[in-house]
Amino acid sequence: MNWLIDPFEFEFMRGALAACVALSLGAAPIGVFMLLRRMSLMGDAISHAILPGAAIGYLVAGMSLGAMTLGGIVAGVAVALAAGAVARRSALREDASLAAFYLISLAIGVLLVSLRSRNVDLLHVLFGSVLSLDADTLMLIAGIATVSLFGLALLYRPLVIECADPAFLRQAGGPGAVAHMGFLLLAVLNLVAGFHALGTLMAVGIMVLPAAAARLISDRLDTMLALAVAFALAGSLGGLLLSYHGDVPAGPSVVMSLGFIYLLVLLTSALLPRRHWHTGETTG
Amino acid sequence: MSAAALTLTGVSAGYGGQSTVSDISLAVPAGARVAVIGANGAGKSTLLRTIAGELPLMAGQMRRCETCARMGYLPQAATVDRRFPISVYEFVAMGAWQRLGVFRRMSPSVRQSIANALERTGLTALSRRPIGELSGGQLQRARFARLILQDAAMLLLDEPFAGVDRPTREALMQLVDGWHAEGRTTLVVLHDVELVRQRFELCLTVDDGHAQLTPTVELLTLRPTSAGGNGTRHDFLRNALRA
């Protein structure tokens, strides 16, 4: 068991594990709703959009946690709203609009970071620095996980109805817009937390991969939420151990480990009998 | 004649600045069972959506009686995401939203109401099944069960029997009859003239951008006219109803 315990004798590994646990608790349930709302691509677009915002914060205030976080949140919310508005008001489908936004965001972000930094900084923002998180960043990630869990508990009922039948919630006078906007804000917050730990390219991984694996083996929302958190925790631990023992970058290791769980579940579920799902939007 | 549940005065409704129906003035008596009829594209759904508050009034005034503000609306196209992982029970329980809101716990009386609604729609045995595994007719029963739970004084149903088999249609129609017996006002968009003749005492005919509330029996006895007037406007309806 030494291979499991020994790595966490080091403070940087304990910090990384704490960050991953907080991310798993906060981001994985958000990922389940994101998947069910068919917003996985939007999650990707938002996570890329965080980069230019954080970069502007970096250019203005240097390596300031607050400035980069605030910049990331503002940029993430702006792109989430803009992509939705463009999809509603132009001939473009939402996926095309999101793809355009995330490519533009990524390009602007990389250019901004390159203006005043070394290659190593660029690698940090793209792939994260989970092994070198300071106490303030850890507190920020844990704080976001706490806000996220309370926020999701608050929004849970209207969010579920809004996902299952948005027109019904609107007609029944429920707070559909509040649920949608609140959910987007929680998604952005978690992606900013993921950005600090796993980088802009990998942040959405801990959100979407465990949710996708959970969806493959459960048709109950509560089970999916629990499974997604469990998969995220297992993948994070596996990834950190792989990074330590294999001497490879931690962020990509965590996401690869999450991906491995997803593929394993995918293969296993492919061998089980298929469930019959109606896909029509209308009754009849 | 009982007090009006719904009064429209000079109402125009439509989309994107273009009115589909205009200058509608009528009063629907409380507790009435009204068939909304007209050709495809005549504006029946637009009118119903406007009454439901889904579309803003373009002109005129609409007044609902105090209790009729408690309204249940069943749109023609279900917006249900059938891949969303909830059971039939949970889907029907959405109808208790106005009683439960964001925080209130589900009380034994609400649970009993859900059980009753499931029983009345014949879904008790399917209550634990995911909504994605329901047939079209079963899902429509679940939508009706959710409506039962809403306990609305006025019900607006847009083509509720489209695509369902005859036994399901009859079972759902009995629920409409039950609502009528309980004194609830129902407006139902229908194309089945036989059903209109047999079960609806009032017809809201929508045609050529206009709408008019008429006793069904009067529509059956309208004389054909060669030019102008309501007779011409409702020729197709009269012919259909007399068939």
Side-chain angles (χ1 to χ4, degrees):
Chain A
M1 291 295 280
N2 285 350
W3 61 273
L4 182 64
I5 306 293
D6 284 354
F8 299 103
E9 286 175 356
F10 297 100
E11 194 178 344
F12 69 91
M13 285 297 287
R14 288 199 299 276
L17 184 63
C20 285
V21 168
L23 276 176
S24 300
L25 291 171
I30 296 290
V32 168
F33 280 98
M34 200 159 251
L35 184 91
L36 292 173
R37 292 164 75 88
R38 298 182 180 86
M39 286 171 62
S40 303
L41 189 60
M42 178 174 265
D44 209 20
I46 295 171
S47 77
H48 288 73
I50 287 166
L51 181 58
I56 290 169
Y58 172 73
L59 286 179
V60 171
M63 266 296 177
S64 156
L65 180 66
M68 288 175 71
T69 300
L70 187 66
I73 291 172
V74 170
V77 170
V79 163
L81 295 179
V86 168
R88 276 194 302 277
R89 294 179 188 180
S90 75
L92 279 182
R93 286 172 64 96
E94 194 167 27
D95 59 343
S97 147
L98 287 169
F101 270 94
Y102 92 65
L103 285 168
I104 294 166
S105 303
L106 188 61
I108 293 174
V110 169
L111 284 176
L112 286 174
V113 172
S114 305
L115 282 179
R116 228 180 81 176
S117 70
R118 296 161 292 141
N119 281 344
V120 66
D121 294 327
L122 187 60
L123 280 178
H124 275 177
V125 296
L126 291 179
F127 299 106
S129 47
V130 70
L131 296 180
S132 56
L133 297 172
D134 58 25
D136 287 345
T137 313
L138 272 179
M139 288 303 288
L140 176 77
I141 293 172
I144 286 176
T146 309
V147 168
S148 181
L149 285 173
F150 277 106
L152 202 55
L154 201 69
L155 293 175
Y156 187 81
R157 195 176 278 166
L159 191 60
V160 167
I161 302 177
E162 215 255 339
C163 291
D165 192 349
F168 174 78
L169 186 64
R170 192 170 60 239
Q171 184 265 320
V178 173
H180 180 71
M181 295 310 295
F183 173 74
L184 273 185
L185 185 61
L186 291 182
V188 170
L189 284 174
N190 276 282
L191 287 165
V192 168
F195 165 78
H196 285 301
L198 301 172
T200 196
L201 296 182
M202 300 283 154
V204 79
I206 202 163
M207 201 174 260
V208 168
L209 288 170
R215 183 68 183 116
L216 285 171
I217 53 175
S218 176
D219 54 18
R220 287 193 55 86
L221 184 56
D222 46 5
T223 311
M224 278 182 69
L225 291 168
L227 277 176
V229 171
F231 287 151
L233 287 169
S236 301
L237 181 62
L240 290 177
L241 289 173
L242 175 69
S243 165
Y244 180 84
H245 293 296
D247 196 20
V248 286
S253 295
V254 167
V255 175
M256 200 179 80
S257 177
L258 294 166
F260 175 74
I261 292 174
Y262 166 72
L263 290 174
L264 196 66
V265 173
L266 184 68
L267 286 173
T268 312
S269 64
L271 299 175
L272 298 173
R274 275 177 177 274
R275 228 182 254 114
H276 176 63
W277 291 95
H278 289 272
T279 54
E281 288 284 306
T282 57
T283 58
Chain B
M1 179 75 71
S2 37
L6 172 74
T7 309
L8 305 182
T9 312
V11 162
S12 296
Y15 301 87
Q18 292 278 351
S19 64
T20 311
V21 286
S22 57
D23 198 24
I24 298 169
S25 295
L26 53 87
V28 177
R33 189 170 33 179
V34 182
V36 184
I37 55 177
N40 286 329
K44 304 182 296 295
S45 296
T46 305
L47 184 58
L48 225 61
R49 286 189 67 188
T50 306
I51 295 170
E54 290 258 308
L55 289 175
L57 286 179
M58 292 178 71
Q61 286 185 325
M62 176 167 69
R63 199 166 55 80
R64 289 189 289 253
C65 71
E66 206 170 309
T67 55
C68 294
R70 221 172 62 242
M71 192 165 49
Y73 170 52
L74 195 74
Q76 181 183 359
T79 55
V80 180
D81 179 356
R82 300 179 70 178
R83 285 176 175 267
F84 196 79
I86 54 168
S87 66
V88 172
Y89 186 95
E90 291 160 332
F91 179 80
V92 173
M94 287 181 194
W97 165 260
Q98 273 148 338
R99 276 187 268 176
L100 296 175
V102 177
F103 296 115
R104 275 189 290 279
R105 289 189 60 162
M106 212 179 269
S107 64
S109 74
V110 172
R111 288 182 194 281
Q112 188 57 50
S113 301
I114 298 169
N116 290 344
L118 287 166
E119 193 182 340
R120 284 178 68 186
T121 48
L123 288 173
T124 305
L126 302 179
S127 65
R128 294 172 68 86
R129 187 172 288 190
I131 54 167
E133 292 182 10
L134 297 182
S135 69
Q138 288 166 338
L139 181 64
Q140 195 67 335
R141 284 173 186 262
R143 294 174 82 209
F144 265 73
R146 191 172 64 177
L147 267 182
I148 293 172
L149 215 68
Q150 285 185 264
D151 192 26
M154 184 191 283
L155 293 122
L156 310 171
L157 316 177
D158 196 349
E159 297 199 33
F161 310 131
V164 301
D165 59 21
R166 190 165 279 275
T168 303
R169 192 194 76 170
E170 186 48 38
L172 298 179
M173 192 56 218
Q174 280 179 15
L175 291 173
V176 175
D177 292 343
W179 287 327
H180 178 59
E182 290 164 3
R184 302 177 202 268
T185 310
T186 47
L187 279 80
V188 188
V189 175
L190 286 171
H191 285 291
D192 186 332
V193 290
E194 201 52 41
L195 197 62
V196 176
R197 270 157 52 122
Q198 290 174 358
R199 312 281 270 271
F200 290 83
E201 57 273 18
L202 287 173
C203 280
L204 177 54
T205 52
V206 184
D207 181 36
D208 197 23
H210 300 279
Q212 184 175 315
L213 192 65
T214 322
T216 307
V217 66
E218 270 185 35
L219 273 181
L220 293 171
T221 54
L222 264 179
R223 312 294 312 167
T225 55
S226 53
N230 286 341
T232 298
R233 189 188 303 155
H234 298 310
D235 272 355
F236 80 99
L237 298 169
R238 184 194 54 250
N239 291 337
L241 288 166
R242 300 180 88 167

